[in-house]
């Protein structure tokens, strides 16, 4: 499974995490191309259903990146996101996908190097976990196996 390249979805707050990603790019910091960013107006807009949908659509890992705690542009959006990520972890554990496949990170727009570091951390973590059990089941069904 050494050739496995995980599909990772990063839901990024426009004001902080997405700005940090932009800064990482401006600084020419490299991070895995397996991370696909989805810009959100606020991490508080993340819904548990959106996280679960990412897994249904083929993601092996998901992370939500929001503003630093106490610095949300919408006051408490990042606290709501943190609670929703915790709930999503529990659901993923309950259904056998694994709660360790989803994480919440907080960073400011000036933390470009930290954004690249987080992308590397998630890539390595998910690579060690292997493909999502949901993706393995879909592959087996597509191959005509049970």
């Amino acid at each position: 499974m050494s050739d496995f390249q995980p599909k990772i979805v990063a839901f990024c707050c426009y004001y902080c995490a997405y700005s940090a990603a932009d800064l990482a790019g401006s600084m020419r910091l490299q991070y895995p191309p397996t991370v696909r960013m989805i810009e959100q107006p606020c991490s508080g807009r993340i819904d548990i259903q959106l996280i679960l949908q990412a897994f249904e659509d083929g993601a092996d890992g998901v992370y939500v990146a929001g503003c630093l705690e106490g610095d949300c542009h919408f006051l408490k959006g990042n606290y709501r996101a943190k609670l929703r990520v915790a709930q999503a972890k529990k659901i993923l554990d309950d259904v056998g996908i694994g709660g360790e496949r989803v994480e919440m990170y907080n960073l400011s727009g000036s933390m470009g190097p930290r954004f690249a570091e987080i992308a590397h951390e998630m890539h390595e973590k998910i690579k060690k976990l292997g493909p999502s059990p949901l993706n393995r089941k879909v592959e087996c069904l597509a191959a005509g196996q049970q």
Side-chain angles (χ1 to χ4, degrees):
M1 187 135 353
S2 61
D3 61 340
F4 167 64
Q5 291 300 313
K7 296 176 188 136
I8 301 169
V9 175
F11 293 105
C12 297
C13 158
Y14 170 77
Y15 290 99
C16 291
Y18 199 80
S19 295
D22 190 41
L23 179 60
S26 296
M27 295 173 75
R28 299 191 187 283
L29 300 175
Q30 298 290 314
Y31 57 88
T34 57
V35 176
R36 300 288 186 240
M37 287 186 297
I38 299 176
E39 180 184 339
Q40 296 289 307
C42 175
S43 60
R45 295 279 302 179
I46 298 303
D47 186 291
I48 296 169
Q49 194 171 8
L50 192 59
I51 294 170
L52 299 177
Q53 184 68 47
F55 285 101
E56 284 183 25
D57 290 342
D60 297 301
V62 173
Y63 67 93
V64 177
C67 300
L68 292 172
E69 288 191 12
D71 272 344
C72 179
H73 284 73
F74 296 98
L75 305 179
K76 296 185 181 185
N78 51 7
Y79 291 116
R80 283 192 293 276
K82 186 177 181 179
L83 289 171
R84 290 174 183 153
V85 167
Q87 291 170 329
K89 282 177 168 286
K90 183 177 180 339
I91 292 168
L92 291 171
D93 276 336
D94 290 346
V95 298
I97 293 174
E100 67 274 10
R101 292 181 177 277
V102 64
E103 293 294 336
M104 172 78 192
Y105 294 97
N106 300 93
L107 59 161
S108 74
S110 64
M111 296 172 77
R114 178 65 181 137
F115 181 87
E117 188 179 294
I118 288 167
H120 283 288
E121 283 174 19
M122 280 299 289
H123 176 84
E124 290 306 315
K125 179 180 184 176
I126 302 302
K127 193 163 179 149
K128 284 179 187 169
L129 290 171
S132 165
L134 191 59
N135 291 341
R136 287 195 300 259
K137 182 70 173 172
V138 168
E139 288 170 7
C140 287
L141 290 173
Q145 302 169 357
Q146 292 288 329

